[in-house]
Amino acid sequence: MEKIYSHPKSLRNLSTHYCPGCGHGIAHRLIAEVVDELGIREKVIAIAPVGCAVIAYDYWDFDCSEAAHGRALAVATAIKRVRQDNIVFTYQGDGDLAAIGTNETIHAANRGENVCVFFINNAVYGMTGGQMAPTTLLNQKTSTTIKGRDAGLHGYPLKISEMLALLPGVKYIERTSLHSPPEIIKTKKAINKAFLNQIEGVGFSLVEILSPCPTYWGMAPKASLDWIRDTMSKEFPLGRIK
Amino acid sequence: MPKIIIDRDKCKGCLLCVSFCPKKLISKDRGLNKKGLNPVKFSDKSGCLGCALCAIICPDCCIEVYK
């Protein structure tokens, strides 16, 4: 009998601190699987964000760095420019990449830095207690929008991938989701494509991953996957953006 | 015959694998694991397809699939 699916070598065999049903565990595993399959474990350098995934460096078994809140792409720029043979990626949530780090994100993309960005969009601030994020959907209830997000008061969900697609320095953007096994396989392909772009020197690649946050959406894990499929992916359409 | 092995103490009991198993061979375990949570258990080993959908959806990487 042959083992056809098990733990990737680049992911330490630890129990994560993530809540039951959280998408971060799946995203971490997919990145570790792609790193193993491409054989780049000795060359890859990850930049962890501030947010729920702040201690991602404890889970991945390859080189990682931490960045100040939102500054992952500034750190990635520096590392990639100094160590051009390394494969550098950032792993950032919506609060990190699309709120406090918007400035660094837009300028790194506009410079066309040859790095990969994995943007985990769960439409809420997870680590700090479920407050509204820039990507929170209209009418979505969070701990700071208790009657639902109101466009007049809080503005509209920020579509960072569509914004970045306008920049000539950006070479590849795809939005994928973790709501079902086929979508997870598509997400892995997108992660693979982003790494290959960097290896081939194509340029800035970003994969936006719609990820469930059952705790702060106030839903059971399966219901949160259904909410991505039925509601969130209408506001953030899946597929290749650039 | 295909089978899966569940790391009982890593499982957080989110039950996503239960929802996605096409043969409904995974169920909630009434006993507690080291975390004090109800993990999942694999039963009726004869019907497993080895499709690995449970392992693909598992957020905690606690399922190994053999075929």
Side-chain angles (χ1 to χ4, degrees):
Chain A
M1 190 173 282
E2 191 190 350
K3 192 189 277 189
I4 60 165
Y5 207 98
S6 79
H7 212 266
K9 284 184 181 152
S10 295
L11 193 67
R12 291 196 176 100
N13 194 8
L14 295 173
S15 188
T16 63
H17 72 290
Y18 300 121
C19 306
C22 174
H24 275 303
I26 305 175
H28 284 17
R29 189 188 73 223
L30 295 177
I31 291 170
E33 284 175 0
V34 172
V35 166
D36 282 355
E37 286 165 16
L38 293 174
I40 54 174
R41 191 172 164 203
E42 297 300 320
K43 289 167 73 178
V44 80
I45 300 176
I47 319 293
V50 171
C52 283
V54 67
I55 55 170
Y57 47 73
D58 278 350
Y59 303 139
W60 282 317
D61 200 357
F62 43 70
D63 288 334
C64 296
S65 174
E66 182 55 68
H69 199 355
R71 275 62 182 170
L73 270 165
V75 175
T77 299
I79 294 178
K80 184 67 183 177
R81 287 187 176 202
V82 173
R83 304 180 64 99
Q84 294 185 5
D85 292 337
N86 285 90
I87 311 295
V88 181
F89 75 87
T90 70
Y91 181 98
Q92 300 175 264
D94 41 41
D96 194 75
L97 184 140
I100 192 167
T102 322
N103 182 4
E104 279 74 11
T105 305
I106 290 175
H107 288 287
N110 195 37
R111 290 191 304 268
E113 298 294 342
N114 187 24
V115 296
C116 307
V117 183
F118 302 119
F119 169 33
I120 310 297
N121 181 358
N122 59 11
V124 78
Y125 283 169
M127 185 180 76
T128 49
Q131 293 87 352
M132 186 192 85
T135 49
T136 296
L137 271 57
L138 290 178
N139 301 318
Q140 184 185 340
K141 289 181 181 170
T142 68
S143 60
T144 46
T145 57
I146 52 174
K147 292 181 180 170
R149 183 173 186 165
D150 170 15
L153 193 59
H154 311 109
Y156 292 89
L158 189 63
K159 296 187 177 176
I160 204 98
S161 292
E162 279 84 349
M163 285 167 56
L164 293 181
L166 299 171
L167 302 174
V170 175
K171 300 301 178 198
Y172 172 66
I173 296 194
E174 182 154 358
R175 185 184 284 123
T176 64
S177 164
L178 300 176
H179 73 256
S180 68
E183 296 298 329
I184 291 172
I185 292 167
K186 281 186 201 164
T187 304
K188 186 175 169 185
K189 282 185 182 157
I191 292 171
N192 192 60
K193 167 94 178 149
F195 274 121
L196 286 176
N197 278 349
Q198 184 174 160
I199 292 166
E200 291 162 6
V202 173
F204 190 92
S205 305
L206 182 144
V207 182
E208 176 176 345
I209 303 170
L210 304 186
S211 172
C213 181
T215 300
Y216 290 116
W217 293 354
M219 296 177 195
K222 178 66 170 69
S224 63
L225 297 188
D226 295 343
W227 191 75
I228 294 182
R229 183 193 62 207
D230 299 335
T231 308
M232 194 176 174
S233 61
K234 302 286 185 289
E235 182 69 34
F236 295 104
L238 304 179
R240 179 98 179 238
I241 295 168
K242 187 171 185 180
Chain B
M1 188 185 300
K3 67 166 183 177
I4 62 168
I5 294 177
I6 297 164
D7 187 337
R8 198 170 179 278
D9 288 322
K10 268 175 84 182
C11 178
K12 294 174 185 162
C14 70
L15 307 181
L16 290 179
C17 53
V18 175
S19 309
F20 284 96
C21 177
K23 295 285 184 179
K24 305 291 173 206
L25 300 179
I26 310 174
S27 58
K28 188 173 173 179
D29 190 340
R30 293 194 169 198
L32 299 177
N33 64 9
K34 278 186 187 167
K35 291 181 197 292
L37 300 169
N38 293 107
V40 291
K41 63 180 180 188
F42 179 53
S43 51
D44 188 15
K45 298 180 172 58
S46 59
C48 181
L49 302 170
C51 64
L53 292 183
C54 52
I56 291 169
I57 200 75
C58 178
D60 294 291
C61 212
C62 28
I63 300 179
E64 282 185 344
V65 185
Y66 293 84
K67 197 171 185 179

